[in-house]
């Protein structure tokens, strides 16, 4: 099993930063921006957030779901914020923990897309997952045809994309998904040329699951 983050049972969240993006505990002050991020139509199209997302939904996620998931060891989710302003950019986490593996889940708002924030946040997350928590593999699941998310995974070194039709559940429906893999010893950069469209779509969120 992965090593649990120190203090996880008390919902003590380690702070991770590269000086530009910081991963920290989700707080009540993040609720309005989190609600806006999740209500974005493009995020709704490609992630598993409920439709018609409200601040009440965001408050439940911040105050109940995330703390309970940390304490139980089911999921570890962080707020990804601007290191200078502390403004919420999105969320990123390790989901579906099993053995020494986990899925990467993230959802960034429209204001953060194209800034490199999602890539920076994922690099912080993966370094922590492999070096501190002892994960051996991380998986990236993305709804077809979210090429922007798949390209982000490619930039991070995820490889061997496999398409499994109907594998992903989205609001009670089965949808097609790509799954990519990154091992603890894999280089954190592309192994091969990009094989997708040259312009994956500026409107598509840099997200996997949320």
């Amino acid at each position: 099993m992965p090593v649990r983050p120190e203090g996880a049972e008390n919902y003590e969240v380690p702070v991770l930063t590269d000086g530009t993006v910081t991963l920290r505990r989700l707080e009540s002050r993040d609720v309005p921006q989190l609600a806006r991020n999740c209500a974005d139509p493009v995020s709704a199209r490609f992630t598993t957030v409920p439709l018609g997302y409200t601040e009440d939904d965001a408050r439940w996620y911040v105050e109940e779901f995330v703390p309970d998931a940390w304490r139980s060891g089911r999921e570890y989710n962080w707020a990804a914020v601007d290191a200078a302003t502390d403004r919420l950019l999105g969320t990123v986490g390790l989901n579906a923990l099993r053995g020494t593996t986990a899925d990467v889940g993230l959802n960034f708002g429209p204001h953060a897309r194209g800034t490199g924030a999602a890539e920076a946040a994922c690099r912080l997350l993966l370094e922590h997952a492999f070096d501190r928590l002892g994960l051996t593999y991380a998986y990236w699941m993305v709804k077809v045809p979210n090429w922007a998310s798949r390209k982000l995974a490619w930039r991070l070194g995820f490889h061997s994309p496999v398409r499994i039709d109907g594998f992903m559940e989205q609001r009670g429906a089965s949808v097609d998904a790509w799954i990519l893999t990154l091992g603890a010893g894999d280089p954190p950069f592309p192994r091969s040329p990009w094989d997708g469209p040259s312009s994956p779509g500026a409107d598509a969120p840099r997200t996997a699951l949320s």
Side-chain angles (χ1 to χ4, degrees):
M1 293 292 291
V3 176
R4 293 199 68 194
E6 185 176 351
E9 65 278 3
N10 297 318
Y11 191 37
E12 296 173 10
V13 178
V15 176
L16 315 174
T17 188
D18 63 2
T20 300
V21 172
T22 295
L23 305 189
R24 60 156 172 80
R25 172 174 165 160
L26 277 156
E27 302 286 357
S28 295
R29 63 182 181 273
D30 300 317
V31 164
Q33 184 62 59
L34 178 62
R36 288 192 290 271
N37 289 359
C38 292
D40 173 62
V42 180
S43 290
R45 177 186 174 194
F46 286 114
T47 75
T48 61
V49 295
L51 296 177
Y53 204 91
T54 68
E55 288 197 10
D56 286 341
D57 295 318
R59 188 170 295 105
W60 170 82
Y61 182 77
V62 168
E63 297 179 358
E64 298 185 40
F65 179 85
V66 173
D68 288 348
W70 269 87
R71 295 184 185 109
S72 68
R74 297 193 317 272
E75 297 185 10
Y76 304 129
N77 293 295
W78 281 261
V81 303
D82 184 293
T85 66
D86 198 48
R87 183 186 183 187
L88 184 73
L89 303 170
T91 56
V92 64
L94 299 171
N95 307 328
L97 288 142
R98 56 205 179 276
T100 55
T101 73
D103 295 348
V104 174
L106 62 152
N107 187 18
F108 280 68
H111 63 295
R113 294 177 199 150
T115 66
E119 181 175 348
C122 287
R123 291 194 183 280
L124 289 168
L125 176 76
L126 290 165
E127 181 180 4
H128 185 74
F130 291 139
D131 296 347
R132 300 298 300 274
L133 303 184
L135 262 66
T136 54
Y137 289 97
Y139 301 109
W140 189 283
M141 187 190 308
V142 53
K143 180 184 176 183
V144 178
N146 189 350
W147 285 103
S149 180
R150 180 165 159 179
K151 191 168 188 179
L152 172 56
W154 169 80
R155 288 200 301 269
L156 293 165
F158 283 82
H159 57 89
S160 304
V162 175
R163 175 172 172 153
I164 306 179
D165 291 345
F167 186 78
M168 179 177 164
E169 188 274 333
Q170 186 184 45
R171 305 180 199 103
S174 296
V175 297
D176 302 340
W178 289 306
I179 299 177
L180 298 92
T181 303
L182 183 69
D186 291 340
F189 49 79
R191 295 182 174 193
S192 58
W194 170 242
D195 61 355
S198 57
S199 297
D203 63 332
R206 276 67 172 173
T207 58
L209 292 177
S210 64

